[in-house]
Amino acid sequence: PRSTLFPYTTLFRSADLRELLDATGQIIAGLMGTEAARVTPGASAAIVLACGAAMTGLDGARMEQLPDTTGLAGEIVIQARHRYKYDRMVRMSGAQLVEAGDSAAGTSAQQLAAAIGPGTAAVFVPGHLDGAAGTVALEEVVAIAHDRSVPVLVDAAYLNYPVELMRSFTGRGADLAIFSAKYFGGPNVGGFVCGSRPLVQAIAGMDFTGFESGQHLVLGRPFKLDRQLVVAVTLALRDWLTQDHAERFRRYQRLVDVIAGHLDGAPGVQVKPMSFTMAEQLEPEPVNCLLVQTGSAGRADQIDRRLRDGSPAIYAHLRGDSLIVDVEVLSDEQADFVGTRLAEELTAIGTETEPWDIDQAGRLSR
């Protein structure tokens, strides 16, 4: 019956958020094959909490002390060629990043071992850079770190396909692996961390529920979650791990073909089905986008701006003389509309455009 206290709802449901986080953590851990897991508001927040947990363990007073690391093992080791834009999240916890090796020559196993000392709380590995030239591979990182009783944390934010890849990081010995939900169809502001039970328990003690219901004013209060987000991350992960991905890519191919069909015969245009990766690189397969080569950077830039200025706006990825049309979030009807609009603008602008130059940062200039 309609509630008299809440007249605009037919049913009012709630749950203790700590219990919900614990229960969904058990579900995610089961899906991922790990000891424990915890939903977080995105991968960046998970990095901060994971690094904090590595420095404090379950000690509430130490959790409250952060980001002041005085008297704590407050160093996180990272290989020089593993530096990337999101490693600043490590420093948000209060930790000091310590580089092993150097960017010019890379990092050897000996240099990594030498960088780990009494002040080391963890070794941090960006999963997408694992195996890069001049770096120590994850298995060896784990062996070196664990030999010194130091945990290994992996940022695997978008590394979700093939699905076995998601389980591989803890399977190869990492103590924690971090993922962003937006890359597997979940909420843009969701994510989770999974792996070692003691570290996940420390994260739980340090997140915003620990601040509100615990004895200490811990670091993680800004990283607030709501119930809908927690459930959505869990369900999205379950669906991602169980869906038919071959069918998913067949659908992408069909949408690419729809758009390409509209551009058949367009003057000065070449199209090619491609894969636009999570690292925003083009590869041959599996197909999820259409590369539209317009013949000149000026023409591509004009078409891109006119598509963006339309109603509804269409956003492609502009690369030199090409537009990359990603179809992953398009319906059949939307793909037909995108193809029609592209054909219109390609015809309207034509092939004669003043040449443009592109600098190394991708900026266009005449």
Side-chain angles (χ1 to χ4, degrees):
R2 185 177 295 275
S3 168
T4 56
L5 183 59
F6 301 96
Y8 299 105
T9 61
T10 56
L11 186 63
F12 183 78
R13 293 192 178 109
S14 189
D16 182 286
L17 195 45
R18 293 167 300 174
E19 293 180 1
L20 182 63
L21 282 165
D22 289 344
T24 53
Q26 291 176 17
I27 294 170
I28 292 172
L31 291 169
M32 295 297 294
T34 60
E35 293 179 352
R38 189 83 168 177
V39 174
T40 62
S44 290
I47 292 172
V48 179
L49 292 169
C51 291
M55 290 188 287
T56 68
L58 294 169
D59 189 317
R62 292 186 173 192
M63 293 179 187
E64 186 169 25
Q65 179 182 322
L66 296 180
D68 175 10
T69 61
T70 303
L72 307 180
E75 297 176 353
I76 306 288
V77 172
I78 188 170
Q79 296 182 63
R81 291 189 180 177
H82 279 177
R83 295 301 304 270
Y84 73 133
K85 67 191 246 184
Y86 294 107
D87 65 32
R88 70 184 297 109
M89 306 306 157
V90 173
R91 293 188 286 115
M92 285 181 67
S93 68
Q96 176 187 353
L97 272 172
V98 175
E99 283 192 18
D102 62 77
S103 57
T107 304
S108 67
Q110 293 74 20
Q111 288 172 317
L112 178 62
I116 299 174
T120 304
V123 177
F124 187 79
V125 177
H128 64 289
L129 296 176
D130 178 41
T135 65
V136 182
L138 179 58
E139 289 88 350
E140 192 168 4
V141 171
V142 168
I144 292 169
H146 285 184
D147 189 52
R148 292 156 179 79
S149 301
V150 169
V152 176
L153 318 178
V154 176
D155 174 16
Y158 63 78
L159 301 175
N160 57 35
Y161 185 81
V163 294
E164 294 80 10
L165 180 63
M166 297 185 75
R167 302 185 182 100
S168 69
F169 301 102
T170 51
R172 294 162 65 194
D175 298 273
L176 290 178
I178 292 162
F179 297 92
S180 175
K182 65 177 177 281
Y183 295 112
F184 53 79
N188 192 60
V189 292
F192 71 91
V193 57
C194 64
S196 155
R197 189 182 306 281
L199 284 173
V200 172
Q201 288 174 336
I203 289 170
M206 195 179 300
D207 73 7
F208 83 100
T209 62
F211 184 101
E212 295 296 344
S213 61
Q215 298 178 353
H216 299 278
L217 305 181
V218 295
L219 176 73
R221 180 58 184 85
F223 303 129
K224 193 171 186 178
L225 292 156
D226 63 30
R227 294 163 181 81
Q228 295 90 336
L229 178 71
V230 175
V231 172
V233 169
T234 308
L235 294 178
L237 177 64
R238 185 193 65 184
D239 290 349
W240 180 259
L241 294 175
T242 58
Q243 73 173 271
D244 184 344
H245 289 278
E247 175 57 31
R248 178 169 67 92
F249 282 107
R250 284 192 291 269
R251 176 176 173 274
Y252 296 160
Q253 180 69 66
R254 186 180 74 250
L255 296 175
V256 164
D257 291 342
V258 167
I259 297 172
H262 283 280
L263 307 184
D264 187 30
V269 175
Q270 294 182 335
V271 299
K272 186 175 183 180
M274 296 286 286
S275 174
F276 194 54
T277 70
M278 294 292 186
E280 299 190 353
Q281 302 296 320
L282 285 169
E283 295 181 358
E285 55 184 24
V287 169
N288 66 355
C289 75
L290 184 67
L291 177 66
V292 182
Q293 296 174 299
T294 70
S296 79
R299 188 185 191 197
D301 177 68
Q302 291 180 57
I303 293 168
D304 182 58
R305 285 188 281 113
R306 290 174 66 156
L307 291 173
R308 288 171 180 254
D309 291 341
S311 181
I314 297 172
Y315 282 71
H317 301 274
L318 178 65
R319 294 287 177 90
D321 70 344
S322 300
L323 296 171
I324 301 168
V325 183
D326 192 329
V327 302
E328 292 193 34
V329 298
L330 297 183
S331 66
D332 288 30
E333 182 181 16
Q334 290 168 338
D336 187 65
F337 176 77
V338 169
T340 300
R341 289 286 293 116
L342 269 169
E344 290 172 351
E345 296 301 345
L346 284 162
T347 301
I349 292 175
T351 59
E352 297 300 324
T353 58
E354 185 176 346
W356 293 58
D357 293 322
I358 306 177
D359 64 20
Q360 290 185 344
R363 294 184 292 263
L364 293 166
S365 62
R366 292 199 185 276

